[in-house]
Amino acid sequence: MDRAQKEKVVEELGQIFESSGVVVVAHYAGLTVAEMQDLRARMREAGGSVRVAKNRLAKIALEGKPCESIADLLTGMTVLSYSEDPVAAAKVAEGFAKDNSKFEILGGAMGETFLNRAGVEAVSKMPSREELIASIVGCIGAPASNIAGAIGAPASNIASILSTIEERAEAA
C-alpha cells in the first residue's frame, strides 16, 4: 500500500469514527471467509458495517476523535464493527460472538464513552432505535384508544341498566 492509499484509508476510518454511534472492536483470528461474510451480511442487514484495517492506520485515524479511547484495544487481528444506530453494531456483534467462539469482542466505544466487554454486552441488550420508535408510537396511540373506550363505555353501561330495568318490570 503506498502513502496515498494509506492516507485515504486513514481518512475513511476517521469518518467512520466521527459519525458512528457505536464502534465494537473484536479479534477475529481463525474465522473462515464464509463466517466473515456472514458477519458482514448480518451487520449490513442491521444497518451497520464491518471493517478490517491495519491497527497502526486505525490508531492514526482515531487521534482527536470522540472514540479515541479504543486505541488500546487495537492489537492483533482486529475487526471494527460500527453503526450509526448506537445499539445495532453491538447487538449483531454479540449475536455473532455467541455463534462463533473465534470471534472475541474486546470492547468498544459509544461516542466518548469507552465500553469494556461487559459494556458492549449491556449496550447490545438495549432497545434499538426502531424498537424505541415503536414503543413511543404505542404510547401515543394508547391514550386515543383509551378515550374511545371511555366514550363508548357509558353508552353500554346505560344500555345494560335499561335492560335490567325492563327485566324487573316484566317480572313484576
Side-chain angles (χ1 to χ4, degrees):
M1 201 185 289
D2 68 359
R3 185 173 179 82
Q5 289 173 319
K6 288 179 182 177
E7 287 174 357
K8 184 179 177 192
V9 168
V10 168
E11 185 180 324
E12 289 173 2
L13 288 171
Q15 290 173 349
I16 289 168
F17 295 139
E18 192 74 45
S19 65
S20 296
V22 68
V23 178
V24 178
V25 181
H27 280 155
Y28 69 100
L31 284 181
T32 65
V33 172
E35 290 169 333
M36 197 64 164
Q37 287 175 336
D38 180 37
L39 172 62
R40 290 179 193 277
R42 289 186 194 187
M43 197 63 73
R44 193 172 28 253
E45 191 176 300
S49 296
V50 174
R51 179 74 189 253
V52 176
K54 291 187 178 251
N55 291 334
R56 185 158 162 63
L57 297 178
K59 286 179 182 180
I60 293 169
L62 274 169
E63 291 175 9
K65 301 297 184 283
C67 55
E68 190 172 6
S69 58
I70 65 171
D72 294 339
L73 299 175
L74 298 173
T75 58
M77 293 179 63
T78 55
V79 61
L80 303 169
S81 304
Y82 57 93
S83 63
E84 285 184 34
D85 182 340
V87 178
K91 276 188 188 286
V92 173
E94 278 294 330
F96 191 77
K98 286 179 184 163
D99 297 341
N100 296 286
S101 60
K102 297 172 191 165
F103 186 79
E104 180 189 347
I105 297 173
L106 303 175
M110 181 183 246
E112 293 182 8
T113 307
F114 176 80
L115 302 171
N116 59 12
R117 176 69 182 90
V120 173
E121 186 177 355
V123 168
S124 74
K125 292 178 181 175
M126 294 170 58
S128 69
R129 184 181 301 165
E130 287 76 25
E131 292 168 340
L132 285 174
I133 290 171
S135 67
I136 290 170
V137 168
C139 290
I140 291 171
S145 64
N146 290 344
I147 290 171
I151 290 171
S156 64
N157 289 344
I158 292 171
S160 66
I161 290 170
L162 289 176
S163 67
T164 305
I165 292 172
E166 279 181 29
E167 288 172 6
R168 286 186 184 166
E170 289 175 6

